[in-house]
Amino acid sequence: MTSSARESVLAAALASERPRFRSRRTAGFVESVIREMTRLALARGDAVNLAQGFPDFAAPGVLKRAAVDAIQADINQYAITWGAKPLRDAIARKYAHWYGLELDPEAEITVCCGATEGMIASLLAVTNPGDEIIVFEPYYENYLPDTELCSAVRRVVTLHAPAWTFDPVELRRAFNPRTKAVILNTPNNPTGKVFSRAELEQIAALAREFDVLVITDEIYEHILYDGARHVPVMTLPGMRERAVLVNSMSKTYSVTGWRVGWVLAAPDLTSSIRKVHDFLTVGAASPLQAAGALALSLPDDYYARLSADYQSRRDKILGVLERAGFRCFRPAGAYYVMTAISTFGFADDYAFVRHMLDRTGVAAVPGSSFFSNPSDGRDMVRFCFCKKDETLEEAGARLARL
Ligand code: GLN
């Protein structure tokens, strides 16, 4: 069979629904809207992609050289499944330096393929079907399929705009004896909220009361504005054994395609997370782990510059979006702006985003992708601003056509 004939057979097979071969656990899946928007932007050729959050500027030169050097030095075979020792040691040193968190690299650190794998491996390791997982909404869209892959039951707690605060009564109501974990992303995607110590303490107190884990996605830990402080839940009293911390190189070092992340957890949790990780992926790319050891050893001023650079990009995109007629929710961290689009008078967020892409060539993510009930996000659109100044300026010029 020629390859094009094979492709059409495959396409026909995919097009006709065959329920026998569709697992129940994937039945509720929809394509990631974030990745879909990137594909639509690429298909257009000339689009400015402010949808999927990845930088369009270069990764730090020292990291690129370290990765090339590692390959040349024949670091090309499997690393230890839970992570090359130099990287785990560098991670332990970094958390001790930044947060006074003492971690045993032999028993409490698992290197994995990005925070995405870290999150699903952690959930698969700690949940049983039917366990309940609390998720704050709006949420990063992966958390939904993550809970479905675990056959877990989702409980959603609303973050209320404009400050994205939660109602403590609603939060308490979400906990019950079936609750196994809370997923918490701070600094937050998509809202830009940085949870305060007081808020984290409320969540931690409930986790202790109900014997629940807090699984934190801290991937934007170093992208903070206007003096905001990031507090890992793991550093709060009584939370050292109860928090599972997920993070990655992607955003801090502008290497989203490297897929190197890590999970920090107490030894008993780490032991099961490592097994899930091993069977899922064996390990993250070993030369990139070697470069990661160098990245995690960069001096403090690297992180100060990262935040300062992002703060100027944030200020620029806020100006661009406001001039174009969006109402912006000002982020305190991470690299996204949630906007309200009601002034544009569209039927919904999806129609608006498609129109904006057609008319201006600027791609963004419909707000409904971050809500379990799509209508709750129908008047919102998320823009990312991890882009060069020229890109943000080009977006500004194009959005003026809206
Ligand atoms: N975190 C990024 C976003 O929200 C993209 C993540 C991804 O596509 N894997 O846009």
Side-chain angles (χ1 to χ4, degrees), residues 320-328 339-349 351-353 355-356 360 379-381 383 399-402:
V320 158
L321 294 173
E322 276 160 7
R323 277 193 297 280
F326 293 89
R327 191 160 70 81
C328 296
T339 62
I341 54 162
S342 30
T343 47
F344 293 100
F346 275 75
D348 64 34
D349 55 329
F352 175 80
V353 163
H355 168 83
M356 182 170 68
T360 71
D379 68 345
M380 291 183 208
V381 167
F383 291 83
L399 287 175
R401 281 185 233 145
L402 258 183

Side-chain angles (χ1 to χ4, degrees), residues 32 34-35 51-54 116 140 142 189 220 251 259 335-336 365 370 382 384:
S32 153
I34 296 176
R35 264 84 79 193
Q52 195 179 14
F54 61 87
T116 297
Y140 173 49
N142 276 36
N189 174 9
Y220 303 100
K251 316 289 184 180
R259 318 306 306 135
Y335 52 43
Y336 308 95
V365 181
F370 306 102
R382 187 199 78 171
C384 74

Side-chain angles (χ1 to χ4, degrees), residues 121-140:
S122 301
L123 286 167
L124 285 168
V126 304
T127 59
N128 291 310
D131 283 353
E132 294 191 7
I133 311 274
I134 296 174
V135 181
F136 290 93
E137 178 177 78
Y139 43 72
Y140 173 49

Side-chain angles (χ1 to χ4, degrees), residues 28 53 58 64 95 128 152 161 168 229 241 243 245 249 251 260 297 301 396:
K64 295 195 287 186
Y95 281 87
N128 291 310
R229 294 291 294 269
E241 318 286 309
L245 189 163
M249 294 182 65
K251 316 289 184 180
V260 178
S297 310
D301 62 356

